[in-house]
């Protein structure tokens, strides 16, 4: 942790904001006593001036929260359906238990709200470190934690969008290559993909590598973007299957959309895998309960939990931590993929 | 909140335990500086003496944690598979967001560890209230929170096992009656059940009502107990299907075990629902992705979230809160149930 004293004081912030020092204190510590408008103004000014909590007080408080913060702003519906976060939290939580750490879980209905929670956590010293998911290009959370190195952030994204914050990246380029090569080797020449939201860094990366790899093999490639929900998984599949030339394989960016794709195909009388191969990015229990069971790109989430927690502890101890990759992806082939029917 | 000052001081506890006041302080506040043995002894003695944190300091800290605590000691594997907790946390979390509250989530590998976390939370004033799940008969967590009314606990169980703590109960008796009547009306005369662990209060309640209701209709009824995991769901189904007289319907206490039951039946060439009807207690996305889709007893989890959070806030405000029932169960009939084949 840095030993230098912060140069910007609460008095400086109060002067710049034109409010009392106690109002600044209330605002920075997330306490009642100031209007939301004042709080917002104070936080912005404090941020822009590079205000940081006193490092001694900070170190004291950091030693005591024993919590890792996560703000989730995905829709609650999706969180109940898609197993990834609960699997990850369980795996991380079991590792955290060994050192008496907890997860502080906060829901936020939009990005502004999420940012406000992060600001309050930083000001109040509520957490020892945070985990940041679904990073967008130019993400404001990344900017915020760059300004506040006293609260370490572990970013789940490609290093190219983390602004220098420590990252743990899934090797999406490698995962993409495994999928495209597998489909090419089966004989597919026209594949499609139902991707996640375009604004996410990992979607961007997968988009780019899918384009490159399919081009390399001379395959035709269509891509639609969705929001990971069952509804958009269905809608995109319907659009892909009404194209004049339909693909012989579809890759989905999560398990839930793949399952919905299977249902759409089934309703249209399209046989999986004889007429259409389906692949889920992210394996889960869901992929094993359908008929046919789904070929999926699997992460090793239990191993990931241990790796994540080691990185978090090192960051909390003020160590310099290199960006790391998750354990490698592994393509698990089940009954939803096969060679395309000969024309 | 109570206004009277606690009568038992740290000095009293120190005298009774035969240790220094600072050792008591360390122990009660979950800080290092005392051995685990001493901590345990101090906590037990403080508990038995009815020690409570100073109420003014407590009120101050309560006003500031803005967190609801949950200690989970189910296996991490199951948490990643069974959607119930993530659905509930999402639904509760979205309601909590409106008042700037977070969930403090702590994993614990066994009951002793879970109890230690709860004691530390109480001593340190870490949370404004707790939610308690999977209550056992004679549960030590219930005893602990009875001794510490300064941290309100909302217990998810039947009121008969909550020791007077405020409960929110699923109406398991009514759910059981709906299932048994439905199967009886279809013509089933021999049904079985793969239940949850016998030590849980809600399992006990369901066991009793299933026995009563099947007896009322003159149905034969077999019951095996499992731990909610896929493995035990499979094992119990295999045992039930190798009985000399096999049941014509099986009811499972969660969705995951039902799906495994479906797979076992399928592997044995038993047709669902023609030869065997299956019902899942707890509906979820999982119940809609199998072939055939599963008849299930559904809770209204989004509505439950709002109800839970209202009760928590009232408890935190020191109000007296009556025990409540969750929104009622609703049996959703899908393709996994039918009349039994005529002999």
């Amino acid at each position: 942790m840095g030993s230098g004293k912060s140069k910007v004081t609460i008095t400086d912030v109060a002067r710049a904001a034109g409010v009392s020092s106690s109002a600044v204190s209330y605002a920075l510590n997330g306490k009642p006593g100031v209007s939301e408008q004042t709080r917002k103004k104070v936080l912005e000014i404090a941020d822009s001036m590079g205000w940081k909590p006193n490092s001694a007080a900070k170190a004291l408080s950091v030693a005591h929260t024993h919590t890792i913060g996560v703000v989730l702003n995905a829709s609650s519906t999706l969180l109940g359906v898609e197993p990834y976060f609960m699997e990850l939290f369980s795996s991380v939580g079991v590792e955290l238990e060994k050192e008496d750490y907890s997860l502080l879980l906060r829901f936020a209905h939009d990005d502004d709200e999420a940012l406000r929670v992060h600001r309050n956590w930083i000001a109040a010293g509520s957490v020892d470190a945070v985990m940041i998911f679904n990073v967008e290009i130019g993400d404001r959370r990344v900017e915020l934690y760059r300004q506040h190195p006293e609260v370490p952030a572990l970013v789940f994204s490609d290093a190219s969008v983390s602004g220098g914050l420590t990252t743990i990246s899934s090797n999406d380029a490698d995962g993409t290559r495994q999928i495209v090569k597998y489909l090419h080797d089966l004989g597919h020449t026209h594949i499609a993909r139902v991707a996640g939201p375009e604004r996410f860094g990992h979607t961007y990366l997968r988009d780019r590598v899918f384009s490159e790899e399919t081009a390399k093999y001379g395959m035709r490639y269509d891509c639609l973007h969705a929001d990971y929900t069952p509804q958009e998984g269905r809608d995109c599949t319907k659009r892909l299957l009404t194209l004049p030339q339909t693909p012989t394989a579809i890759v989905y960016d999560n398990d839930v959309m793949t399952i919905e794709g299977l249902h759409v195909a089934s309703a249209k009388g399209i046989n999986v895998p004889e007429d259409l191969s389906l692949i889920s990015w992210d394996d889960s229990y869901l992929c094993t309960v359908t008929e046919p069971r789904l070929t999926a790109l699997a992460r090793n989430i239990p191993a990931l939990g241990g790796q994540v927690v080691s990185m978090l502890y090192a960051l909390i101890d003020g160590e310099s931590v290199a960006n790391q990759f998750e354990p490698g992806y592994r393509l698990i082939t089940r009954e939803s993929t096969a060679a395309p029917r000969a024309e």
Side-chain angles (χ1 to χ4, degrees), chain A:
Chain A
M1 307 260 163
S3 59
K5 227 184 157 182
S6 164
K7 286 194 189 118
V8 181
T9 67
I10 282 187
T11 318
D12 298 334
V13 176
R15 197 172 301 128
V19 299
S20 70
S21 294
S22 53
V24 172
S25 173
Y26 294 148
L28 294 175
N29 291 299
K31 292 180 190 174
V34 288
S35 69
E36 259 317 297
Q37 199 182 345
T38 304
R39 188 188 307 279
K40 192 162 174 288
K41 181 174 158 196
V42 167
L43 289 171
E44 282 171 8
I45 288 172
D47 247 19
S48 71
M49 294 176 73
W51 176 84
K52 290 170 198 169
N54 175 280
S55 57
K58 190 68 207 168
L60 191 69
S61 81
V62 160
H64 283 256
T65 75
H66 264 235
T67 55
I68 305 295
V70 176
V71 183
L72 289 176
N73 58 0
S75 83
S76 66
T77 318
L78 187 60
L79 285 170
V81 167
E82 200 187 45
Y84 171 71
F85 279 109
M86 198 68 200
E87 285 179 7
L88 181 65
F89 294 159
S90 301
S91 140
V92 166
V94 165
E95 291 296 323
L96 287 177
E97 181 200 343
K98 297 173 188 165
E99 301 289 335
D100 224 359
Y101 266 73
S102 304
L103 275 181
L104 186 66
L105 210 57
R106 177 66 154 71
F107 291 78
H109 63 275
D110 66 18
D111 292 351
D112 287 341
E113 170 71 6
L115 202 67
R116 198 182 66 78
V117 173
H118 281 293
R119 283 183 201 279
N120 283 346
W121 280 358
I122 292 169
S126 309
V127 295
D128 294 4
V130 294
M131 295 192 285
I132 295 186
F133 297 95
N134 287 339
V135 172
E136 304 183 12
I137 294 156
D139 199 293
R140 288 179 292 163
R141 295 169 299 174
V142 166
E143 268 318 298
L144 179 65
Y145 283 96
R146 277 166 56 92
Q147 302 292 328
H148 289 283
E150 73 276 14
V151 181
L154 180 59
V155 181
F156 286 66
S157 81
D158 188 64
S160 63
V161 294
S162 81
L165 297 178
T166 304
T167 56
I168 180 151
S169 314
S170 46
N171 197 334
D172 283 15
D174 177 65
T176 302
R177 283 186 206 107
Q178 287 189 46
I179 290 172
V180 176
K181 180 173 191 309
Y182 170 69
L183 290 173
H184 170 261
D185 290 354
L186 281 176
H188 292 271
T189 57
H190 179 188
I191 73 173
R193 174 160 159 264
V194 178
E198 276 190 290
R199 64 180 188 281
F200 292 155
H202 65 267
T203 306
Y204 173 79
L205 180 70
R206 294 180 195 176
D207 284 357
R208 192 164 50 73
V209 183
F210 260 102
S211 288
E212 288 171 5
E213 291 294 302
T214 49
K216 194 176 89 182
Y217 291 115
M219 297 161 91
R220 177 166 170 176
Y221 170 65
D222 302 313
C223 180
L224 296 176
H225 291 89
D227 64 0
Y228 296 132
T229 61
Q231 182 60 50
E232 294 206 356
R234 279 195 294 276
D235 292 349
C236 288
T237 306
K238 284 178 190 162
R239 284 161 62 198
L240 287 172
L241 295 181
T242 50
L243 292 174
Q245 283 190 286
T246 57
T248 55
I250 307 178
V251 184
Y252 296 81
D253 263 7
N254 76 354
D255 42 11
V256 171
M257 295 195 296
T258 317
I259 285 173
E260 296 298 327
L262 179 61
H263 290 172
V264 168
S266 164
K268 283 179 171 281
I270 295 170
N271 291 320
V272 175
E274 295 80 1
D275 296 317
L276 181 67
S277 288
L278 301 181
I279 296 182
S280 166
W281 191 301
D282 276 0
D283 188 31
S284 74
Y285 184 69
L286 283 171
C287 297
T288 69
V289 304
T290 53
E291 176 66 46
R293 297 179 308 141
L294 302 172
T295 293
L297 197 63
R299 302 160 181 239
N300 183 343
I301 291 187
L304 175 59
Q307 190 180 356
V308 163
V309 171
S310 299
M311 292 178 81
L312 286 169
Y313 288 158
L315 287 167
I316 291 168
D317 287 344
E319 294 170 19
S320 158
V321 179
N323 294 334
Q324 295 185 20
F325 278 107
E326 285 184 15
Y329 279 112
R330 196 162 54 91
L331 189 67
I332 299 181
T333 56
R334 299 199 182 93
E335 298 93 37
S336 70
T337 43
R341 212 188 277 275
E343 292 299 308

